[in-house]
Amino acid sequence: MKTMQWTVDAKKDLSTNYSQISQAAQLLQKNEVVAFPTETVYGLGANAMSTEAVMKIYEAKGRPSDNPLIVHISKIEDLERFTENIQPYAEELIKSFWPGPLTIVVPCKQGKLSTKVTAGLDTVAVRMPSHPVAMEIIKQSGLPIAAPSANLSGKPSPTKAVHVLNDLDGKIAGIIDGGPTGVGLESTVVSCIGEAPVILRPGGITKEELERVAGPVRMDEALTDERKAPISPGMKYRHYAPVAPLTIVDGRPEQIQELADRYRQEGLRVGILTTKERESVYNASSVKSCGSRSKLDTVAYSLYDTLRSFDDDELDILLAESFPDEGVGKAIMNRLLKAAGNKMLQL
Ligand code: AMP
Ligand code: MG
């Protein structure tokens, strides 16, 4: 299939991009899949009411079909079309964080969405993105849009259109290139089913920010268990992963350099993922900074692009520094641990 490509300038008045976006919206109405920028990462959208359309997402990505999708809407009234019994604290979260990088999991009305979106669950994950291009394509389609990240399953999520094309060119009907995305990591996913919110996936909106609006917020225990899990190569599902096997190393730069030297003596090509503060202290086949340690949102912004760029360097092993487990650092560590299949060395 030929993948249609449109370029839009998201900073300009959207009326100048109207015709590109409406062509893409028409493809969505015809149950085709289209990639578009959001403020988190590029999404791969399809009509959430059509099983035919949603199956095309799973096929293009190679995504396991028991992993449910997030439904994207452009106005609050759309929520009532397919959800019910929204908790008061969820309404507070919506008021504070929508449009934006927050996904809420709420009870789903039966028979409104394709069961392939919810993977048969009686709950659904919903988000209203704030990116003007995402907003406009959803609005013009008039549909709830199921949209996971627009990458091959298991690879780092795309933060630029070129990442999407590297993974999915020829497999999807179209892509809107609206420049690099903003946050750089996927949305925070919060379950709003019980009496209080539970974070299922950390993201750009932090636990602290959620708590200011909704009172105490718990992290899902599966997340904390993963953090504590011992080093167990290959035991867990890898996700967001670069080609070279990744290990997170919690240690001083000298210790990380020593480890890299040992691998090099074994004849291996080593890459090191670091930050701009420490970039110059390392000596390895490839050393890349993904932002500034003192501004973790810059790390979130560049993390996936940097991970992908190591794929060109033919490395045997990739070592990544660790980050503090607070604020957006929680989301960064969550993605790095997934990318590393939970391999973390404490030096
Ligand atoms: P992605 O589409 O790759 O950004 O991932 C969406 C995330 O939301 C995955 O971690 C899903 O497991 C999660 N998710 C989607 N729907 C639900 C749901 N109904 N209940 C719990 N988690 C969900
Ligand atoms: Mg994804």
Side-chain angles (χ1 to χ4, degrees), residues 61 63 67-70 105 117-118 121 123-125 147-149 186 189 200-201 239:
K61 282 179 62 79
R63 178 175 170 118
N67 191 3
L69 305 173
I70 297 171
V105 173
V117 169
T118 54
L121 297 171
T123 57
V124 61
S149 49
E186 301 81 354
V189 179
L200 303 181
R201 176 175 75 185
H239 202 21

Side-chain angles (χ1 to χ4, degrees), residues 153-155 234-246 337-343:
S153 201
K155 296 257 251 159
M235 284 286 286
K236 295 243 171 145
Y237 178 55
R238 262 174 113 213
H239 202 21
Y240 316 114
V243 172
L246 171 70
L337 278 161
K338 281 262 172 10
N342 279 321
K343 274 179 284 157

